[in-house]
Amino acid sequence: MDTISDTKSVSSEDAVAPDVMPRTGRTYLSVLDLSPEALEACLTLAARLKRERHLGADAPTARALRGHSLALLFDKPSLRTRTGFEIAMRELGGNVTCPPSADALGTREPLADVARSLERWVSVAAIRTSEQMRLREFVEATTRLRIVNALTNEEHPCQALADCLTVRERWGAVRGRTLAYVGDGNNVAASLTHAAMMLGLNLRLASPKRFALPEATLTAARRVARHGATVVQLQDPVEAVRGADAVYADVWTSMGQEADQTRRRAAFQGYRVTSALMAEANDDAVFMHCLPAHRGEEVDADVLEGPRSVVFDQAENRLHTQKALLLMMLGGTDLC
Ligand code: CP
């Protein structure tokens, strides 16, 4: 598998785009596939694409991916990720194809044959499926096809890009800030932890003991930590949230875990983000959620709908960050 190579360090945290865009590799299966410099550059590029979006067909990147096609292979539901990728590719001048999931990810033929066929037609595939291992089958079967993780059981690296852009917009700089994640140590938490450590954002995770982030994920994240960033796994939500600059919640029962919903609901009692819990955070702390949200379960409606909520900024930023990612993976940054 290709890995990421970076060509130039970005010394400041934000704003200034590097003269030479750090390169991405052929895959974005995990935030860990990016160097810290490439992650910073992706966020900076996304912020610029967001500013330039109003230019429409006159935007400098409006034809950057002309001649490229993106295949969306999703065997789980999606609104934000799928729509974000479709609009992103079209606004960059490329094409999108959405083969039925039963044909592309079903039992009709081996995944390797699907991958080798797609490689003859498209430049990049964004795949939402169950095990991360299925994405690796795609990678191993092909040599040129770029592959993006659009969510697996283990990681959700596209979500983490939007999350990081959202807090960077709010704070200007994320280094030294603290984000509290309350709930399941799931795919969203894993990717957020990876990205936070690379950007110097401290993380406190609060989960019931048996739903904590796997120790291996914490170890991998600590390995890429920069600027003194720390991650701690706690059980007490109040301890995690006290004095935090952002509070993040996600569903207690992720896609594919529905059979376990009753047990999970019982285990996560006490982990709902309420206005009382938000009061433990800093006065200007924001509330974050990757959506879809279950009001009255992991978050109360008044928090989700309240003035501190940035959940629709996160949703919007899915588009801008996925656009930046596609440009970086397909070499379209030459036109930026
Ligand atoms: N947050 C997220 O991935 O949204 P979708 O499931 O709608 O894509």
Side-chain angles (χ1 to χ4, degrees):
M1 187 195 315
D2 281 7
T3 54
I4 304 308
S5 61
D6 51 290
T7 53
K8 189 174 189 296
S9 293
V10 183
S11 53
S12 69
E13 185 174 354
D14 311 328
V16 182
D19 297 335
V20 179
M21 187 64 69
R23 295 182 54 207
T24 65
R26 186 163 74 85
T27 64
Y28 185 59
L29 307 191
S30 168
V31 175
L32 298 176
D33 282 352
L34 295 180
S35 65
E37 291 78 11
L39 174 58
E40 301 257 17
C42 184
L43 299 179
T44 299
L45 177 58
R48 189 192 132 186
L49 293 166
K50 186 171 183 174
R51 287 194 302 275
E52 292 176 352
R53 187 167 184 235
H54 73 281
L55 296 173
D58 293 327
T61 51
R63 284 167 288 285
L65 297 187
R66 195 167 35 176
H68 287 287
S69 291
L70 161 69
L72 294 174
L73 311 179
F74 282 53
D75 66 9
K76 292 182 173 187
S78 172
L79 173 69
R80 282 147 286 269
T81 312
R82 176 192 280 273
T83 312
F85 269 121
E86 277 201 51
I87 297 172
M89 196 62 179
R90 293 194 206 289
E91 290 188 358
L92 295 170
N95 296 312
V96 181
T97 182
C98 308
S101 66
D103 298 348
L105 298 174
T107 54
R108 190 165 172 254
E109 57 185 315
L111 276 185
D113 292 0
V114 174
R116 285 182 292 176
S117 301
L118 281 171
E119 183 172 45
R120 303 296 179 104
W121 310 316
V122 307
S123 314
V124 54
I127 306 172
R128 172 170 288 197
T129 190
S130 44
E131 295 84 18
Q132 191 94 348
M133 187 53 77
R134 282 165 65 77
L135 302 192
R136 299 205 177 279
E137 282 185 52
F138 260 77
V139 175
E140 280 158 22
T142 56
T143 56
R144 329 187 275 278
L145 185 64
R146 278 74 154 191
I147 296 160
V148 176
N149 179 351
L151 180 144
T152 58
N153 294 347
E154 292 90 346
E155 301 194 36
H156 196 0
C158 292
Q159 181 66 50
L161 296 179
D163 298 340
C164 292
L165 179 61
T166 303
V167 290
R168 208 171 84 158
E169 286 173 340
R170 282 275 156 166
W171 303 330
V174 306
R175 271 178 221 165
R177 296 275 190 164
T178 298
L179 188 153
Y181 177 96
V182 179
D184 191 16
N186 61 12
N187 46 10
V188 169
S191 293
L192 182 64
T193 304
H194 294 151
M197 291 304 99
M198 283 191 197
L199 296 175
L201 171 62
N202 299 312
L203 207 54
R204 294 189 212 129
L205 304 144
S207 317
K209 200 167 184 179
R210 65 181 184 278
F211 296 102
L213 207 56
E215 199 52 45
T217 305
L218 293 171
T219 302
R222 288 187 180 114
R223 247 185 244 129
V224 295
R226 296 197 313 166
H227 314 299
T230 59
V231 54
V232 287
Q233 177 71 63
L234 306 165
Q235 288 183 55
D236 181 359
V238 173
E239 188 182 350
V241 167
R242 192 169 293 135
D245 300 297
V247 180
Y248 200 123
D250 190 13
V251 294
W252 294 341
T253 305
S254 295
M255 287 181 280
Q257 297 173 333
E258 291 78 6
D260 199 27
Q261 189 167 44
T262 305
R263 186 180 75 111
R264 285 177 160 270
R265 274 196 180 136
F268 284 101
Q269 290 307 316
Y271 288 83
R272 175 177 309 149
V273 178
T274 60
S275 52
L277 186 59
M278 282 300 292
E280 299 286 340
N282 281 341
D283 289 344
D284 58 354
V286 295
F287 173 74
M288 306 180 73
H289 195 302
C290 58
L291 301 177
H294 297 154
R295 290 162 176 80
E297 197 163 294
E298 75 274 5
V299 58
D300 274 345
D302 64 329
V303 174
L304 188 82
E305 304 291 353
R308 300 162 91 177
S309 174
V310 294
V311 301
F312 294 106
D313 293 331
Q314 291 172 263
E316 176 182 349
N317 287 337
R318 299 298 307 275
L319 168 65
H320 309 300
T321 48
Q322 287 172 193
K323 235 176 175 176
L325 181 69
L326 289 170
L327 277 171
M328 289 180 72
M329 291 187 81
L330 295 171
T333 49
D334 295 349
L335 299 174
C336 294

